[in-house]
Each structure stands twice: as structure tokens, then as C-alpha cells.
Amino acid sequence: MKTHLLILSLAGVIAGPACGQNAPAPAPPIRQPADTPALPAFKTGMTVIDRAGAAVGKIAGLAEDQREPIVIVEIDGKMVGLLQRTLALENDHARSTQTKAQMLTTAQAPR
């Protein structure tokens, strides 16, 4: 008797989708609240300037820390990770709120 119930249960599971049952609807896309600001569109190869306006390097890539986005910049041949919140998008370049020395000192290690 138990064997018959098990077989019938398995037959129902296997035959269920074949008998015209609809698959569950896909989950709706996740949307950010309307008051969430869009992140700046930093791009690889974009020039980075310090707070005085001097070019210090170029964006080599983008990364994500556990807390916030990081922009990886090549400065003097070194790859340094700068917190995205320290950069602002201006026309075709990124302006830092820091000096070059501060960028090198406070840089985050890319992950």
C-alpha cells in the first residue's frame, strides 16, 4: 500500500508540469526607490584630476567593496582604489576631492 502511494505521488510530481500546469511567474525586477540618486558613469580610461585640477592618472577599472563602490586608478604606475564618493564626474574626467598625496596615502586596496 505504501509503495502504491509513493508511486502515485511520484507520478503526480512528474506528470504535473506535463498536464498543462503553468510555471510560476518570474519575479519582478528590483527597482531602486525614486529618491535614490543614480551613480556617476565613471569609465575605464577616464582621466582623474586632483582637487587643484592637475591630472594624476586614469581610471583602470571599477570594483565593489563590502560597503561602497571603489574606482581603481593608475597613479604613477601604481593601482590604487579610491572610494567613489571622493570623485565627481565633470564632463570627460573625474575630479577628486583629494590631493595626489592624499589619494596615494588613503587608497583602498582593490579586491
Side-chain angles (χ1 to χ4, degrees):
M1 179 86 153
K2 289 181 183 180
T3 305
H4 292 284
L5 290 175
L6 179 61
I7 292 173
L8 289 174
S9 296
L10 289 175
V13 170
I14 295 170
C19 294
Q21 291 181 349
N22 293 332
I30 297 174
R31 296 176 191 237
Q32 291 184 339
D35 60 345
T36 301
L39 294 176
F42 295 110
K43 296 179 183 163
T44 302
M46 187 177 279
T47 299
V48 176
I49 60 174
D50 66 10
R51 71 178 178 198
V56 294
K58 294 210 177 269
I59 295 177
L62 305 170
E64 185 84 19
D65 191 338
Q66 292 177 356
R67 296 165 304 224
E68 60 186 297
I70 293 178
V71 178
I72 302 168
V73 180
E74 184 175 354
I75 301 174
D76 295 337
K78 299 175 188 172
M79 297 294 193
V80 295
L82 303 176
L83 296 176
Q84 183 172 310
R85 65 181 155 85
T86 66
L87 299 170
L89 192 61
E90 288 186 0
N91 301 321
D92 61 345
H93 61 270
R95 178 182 292 272
S96 176
T97 59
Q98 301 175 314
T99 65
K100 180 179 176 181
Q102 288 171 323
M103 286 185 237
L104 291 170
T105 303
T106 63
Q108 304 292 312
R111 296 177 192 249

